Amino acid sequence: MSIKKRPVILDGDPGHDDAIAWVLAASMPEFDIKAITTVAGNQTLAKVTYNARRIAALLHLDVEVAKGRAVPLMSDLIIAPNFHGESGLDGPKLPEPEHPESSLSAIEMMAKVLQESEEKVTIIATGPQTNVGALLLTHPELKEKIEVISTMGGGIRNGNWTPAAEFNILVDPEASYLEYHSGVPVQMCGLDVTEQAIVYPEDWERIRALNNPVAKTVAEWFDFFFIHLSELGWKGATLHDPCAVLSLIHPEIFDIRDYYVTTELSGLYTRGETVADVYGITGNKPNCKAVVGLDRQKFVDYLVEACAKFEGWEVNL
Ligand code: RIB
Ligand code: CA
């Protein structure tokens, strides 16, 4: 039975969990990856773009990597070297890029893919939402060509960079606000689900044991990513970004609710908070699919299954 492919743009700030999300996406026959776009977040734009090009080389993705905005729409940039290291993707050696950076900006690339696609396009955005926000501002006429914006960002119960705000949304609250008020379908994988998506060392030893070049790289990304998380007291790696990929293909293992969500822009303590109307108090119609839970074991099993697909993979290190 032939699997129906959906056109996809991967937008992110790799970043270890972005990188693992892209391995997941590349392993899925359901996805036709049309482009990769990068945004400053975990590290500077130059570093995450170089990382994105190396991940594309590792995965033999024959797609252009287009550099996005170096700074948020209306904020100063925040980066996260404590989690991802000086390079933004510290740990295993990666192949050098196989292709030059695209001559197009991320916004131009996103617009080109949307304009040229006969079908609606899925955007999987796992960093600050800056590029998507800029796209919505620059090309409102292309909103109708977006199937869904599947985001990793926010948190209904709590933040992780401030008590109220999750990192991606805090970096660019205005971009997130534009998304939720765009009328475009949004799927939100916030900390409510991603802090349940915990991968334990014994889980990523299963991946290492697969003994193919991609699985080995993923295991070594976990090794590094877990260093700071363990210092914070986590017993496993909270694997944020892959939730925004897997929830599109296997929604059955996730708990997905219809909520009205908006983003706080001006609170002294709450700027960047994603505020969800869980009880329908505001009377606003739901504007997003909020992913709030998952079957952790099935999540891990799908991750292992994805890495196993790279059996016999050739990588030029
Ligand atoms: O808060 C977690 C998010 O911030 C993840 O997307 C991680 O990669 C960083 O971008
Ligand atoms: Ca990310």
Side-chain angles (χ1 to χ4, degrees):
M1 180 188 74
S2 69
I3 294 174
K4 180 164 172 38
K5 282 186 172 293
R6 62 159 77 190
V8 167
I9 295 170
L10 301 177
D11 179 81
D13 58 339
H16 292 74
D17 52 336
D18 303 77
I20 297 169
W22 293 2
V23 168
L24 201 52
S27 76
M28 294 188 159
E30 296 88 346
F31 286 162
D32 175 10
I33 300 170
K34 292 295 188 184
I36 290 175
T37 52
T38 58
V39 60
N42 282 322
Q43 258 296 354
T44 62
L45 183 62
K47 291 182 177 179
V48 300
T49 303
Y50 177 55
N51 293 339
R53 293 171 59 214
R54 294 192 296 165
I55 296 164
L58 173 74
L59 301 174
H60 299 328
L61 289 177
D62 190 17
V63 295
E64 292 199 57
V65 175
K67 213 161 51 173
R69 285 177 55 93
V71 292
L73 295 182
M74 295 176 70
S75 316
D76 295 331
L77 178 61
I78 309 169
I79 58 173
N82 48 341
F83 282 94
H84 303 278
E86 201 41 46
S87 73
L89 197 55
D90 282 16
K93 184 170 168 45
L94 294 175
E96 283 307 306
E98 291 173 342
H99 303 295
E101 274 175 32
S102 171
S103 58
L104 299 180
S105 72
I107 313 317
E108 290 164 337
M109 176 60 80
M110 285 176 162
K112 180 173 181 287
V113 170
L114 291 172
Q115 284 157 352
E116 293 176 354
S117 178
E118 287 176 16
E119 298 170 79
K120 289 193 173 189
V121 178
T122 293
I123 299 176
I124 301 176
T126 57
Q129 302 296 304
T130 308
N131 291 336
V132 180
L135 172 74
L136 294 170
L137 279 176
T138 319
H139 293 281
E141 79 286 356
L142 292 176
K143 286 182 185 178
E144 61 183 12
K145 293 297 293 289
I146 303 173
E147 176 74 31
V148 61
I149 306 167
S150 185
T151 70
M152 189 282 137
I156 295 169
R157 290 169 316 175
N158 57 274
N160 64 358
W161 214 258
T162 72
E166 177 275 328
F167 176 79
N168 284 342
I169 307 305
L170 180 67
V171 171
D172 199 333
E174 282 74 16
S176 172
Y177 183 91
L178 284 165
E179 276 176 349
Y180 285 118
H181 296 275
S182 67
V184 173
V186 175
Q187 179 148 303
M188 168 193 178
C189 287
L191 297 175
D192 315 282
V193 62
T194 71
E195 289 183 338
Q196 296 181 56
I198 299 182
V199 183
Y200 294 104
E202 58 269 25
D203 295 323
W204 72 78
E205 286 313 320
R206 288 174 59 195
I207 293 173
R208 199 189 319 271
L210 295 170
N211 202 24
N212 70 56
V214 173
K216 179 174 177 295
T217 302
V218 168
E220 291 173 9
W221 279 334
F222 272 114
D223 292 339
F224 182 88
F225 190 45
F226 186 48
I227 294 170
H228 189 53
L229 283 165
S230 57
E231 289 165 355
L232 296 174
W234 289 93
K235 301 303 179 204
T238 48
L239 203 58
H240 307 287
D241 297 336
C243 290
V245 172
L246 203 60
S247 57
L248 290 170
I249 302 298
H250 290 292
E252 73 281 359
I253 73 164
F254 292 89
D255 178 358
I256 303 175
R257 310 283 175 88
D258 291 321
Y259 288 153
Y260 171 76
V261 176
T262 190
T263 308
E264 175 61 73
L265 303 178
S266 57
L268 179 59
Y269 301 108
T270 56
R271 175 169 163 77
E273 179 176 7
T274 47
V275 183
D277 185 3
V278 171
Y279 297 122
I281 295 167
T282 64
N284 292 312
K285 274 176 53 191
N287 59 354
C288 107
K289 297 276 183 197
V291 187
V292 295
L294 87 168
D295 180 320
R296 190 202 74 85
Q297 190 57 56
K298 287 184 179 161
F299 173 79
V300 170
D301 291 345
Y302 276 123
L303 189 57
V304 175
E305 182 185 300
C307 292
K309 292 180 184 176
F310 294 91
E311 183 57 41
W313 204 253
E314 295 284 322
V315 176
N316 308 316
L317 289 178

